[in-house]
Amino acid sequence: MRVSRGIVGFTVTLIIAPVGIGFAHGGGSMSGGGTAGSAAGSPSRPENMAKAAYNSGVGSIKKAEEYESDAAKASNPQKSAKALDKAHQYYSKALEQFIDAVSQQPNMYQAWNYLGFANRHLGSFDAALSAYAKALELNPAYPEAIEYRGEAYLGLNKIDAAKEAYMTLFRESRGLADELMTAMRRWMEARRTDAQGLAPEDVEAFSKWVDERAGIAAQTASLAVGAQAEWK
């Protein structure tokens, strides 16, 4: 793993994160700029090398997600474990590629966001939060990073911070708010099985908050649909 040019402090644990697993929505591949070894677009320039590394990382994320999907559909535990191991390998590969991207182009907020995504899926939640913070420092109005960071907060049992992330998304990006709500429900089910040091009453209080917010979301969505129908 290349961690030169000041990109340090990102560690990989040898586990797949138990909660907050969701498919990536942090942006697709970047165009404009050659890949390494091509003749066009001055590929040796840092910005083009960063784009090439970023695009490779996006490809690795997609492969990891495919293996996670295979694991969920596997017919037996052995096949599931094998698919999860493959997913882990691709997340680790993506981590290296996104570190390479931000090494070449430190202001590429999309790469910082995916760097957090890869770290989170490898169970390195603190490193993920650092990467999301950098993405939001570069682009404070980047809702994908807010949603991903909310899921990382859940992984660290930082309930209040996760709530704050949801409320921000509820105001600014309802689709991503719904995705974080789905992650919150997965988190609750996981913590009811294994509280990981949380008091049961805290888990249930959070569950009540989630149910209340889900009700508000459904009500406001219905009002929006009704308003649109009146305008037609």
Side-chain angles (χ1 to χ4, degrees):
M1 181 184 301
R2 285 175 283 183
V3 293
S4 59
R5 302 191 188 116
I7 310 300
V8 296
F10 295 99
T11 60
V12 180
T13 60
L14 298 180
I15 59 171
I16 293 293
V19 296
I21 300 294
F23 291 134
H25 46 66
S29 299
M30 293 184 177
S31 60
T35 56
S38 67
S42 300
S44 62
R45 294 178 60 183
E47 59 267 33
N48 291 331
M49 295 174 68
K51 287 179 181 178
Y54 173 88
N55 289 339
S56 296
V58 170
S60 295
I61 291 291
K62 289 179 179 178
K63 291 295 293 185
E65 291 177 333
E66 289 173 5
Y67 279 113
E68 281 187 336
S69 179
D70 290 344
K73 296 180 291 187
S75 58
N76 60 65
Q78 291 77 18
K79 289 184 178 180
S80 178
K82 184 176 180 180
L84 286 176
D85 182 63
K86 283 287 188 179
H88 181 276
Q89 292 176 33
Y90 274 102
Y91 279 126
S92 297
K93 184 177 181 180
L95 185 68
E96 295 182 14
Q97 291 161 331
F98 291 124
I99 287 176
D100 192 11
V102 298
S103 296
Q104 300 290 341
Q105 199 75 1
N107 65 346
M108 186 183 286
Y109 63 88
Q110 301 96 329
W112 284 106
N113 183 44
Y114 265 132
L115 183 54
F117 185 87
N119 264 309
R120 177 164 59 85
H121 280 257
L122 290 164
S124 298
F125 294 107
D126 287 323
L129 287 178
S130 295
Y132 294 140
K134 183 64 177 179
L136 289 167
E137 176 187 327
L138 294 167
N139 185 356
Y142 193 37
E144 287 83 358
I146 296 172
E147 196 280 326
Y148 285 160
R149 185 169 65 174
E151 295 197 40
Y153 285 141
L154 290 174
L156 291 169
N157 293 331
K158 294 184 176 182
I159 298 174
D160 289 339
K163 288 181 180 179
E164 184 178 349
Y166 175 83
M167 295 305 297
T168 298
L169 292 170
F170 188 79
R171 294 189 299 269
E172 300 176 4
S173 180
R174 291 292 294 274
L176 291 177
D178 291 343
E179 290 195 27
L180 183 53
M181 176 66 71
T182 298
M184 287 175 167
R185 291 194 181 280
R186 286 197 302 265
W187 180 91
M188 289 186 306
E189 292 305 313
R191 292 300 178 270
R192 282 169 175 159
T193 302
D194 179 5
Q196 295 191 10
L198 290 174
E201 55 268 28
D202 291 337
V203 175
E204 292 309 312
F206 183 62
S207 177
K208 182 179 179 181
W209 182 89
V210 167
D211 288 340
E212 290 173 351
R213 292 307 314 178
I216 292 170
Q219 183 179 20
T220 55
S222 298
L223 290 173
V225 170
Q228 289 177 355
E230 289 180 5
W231 279 100
K232 289 183 179 180

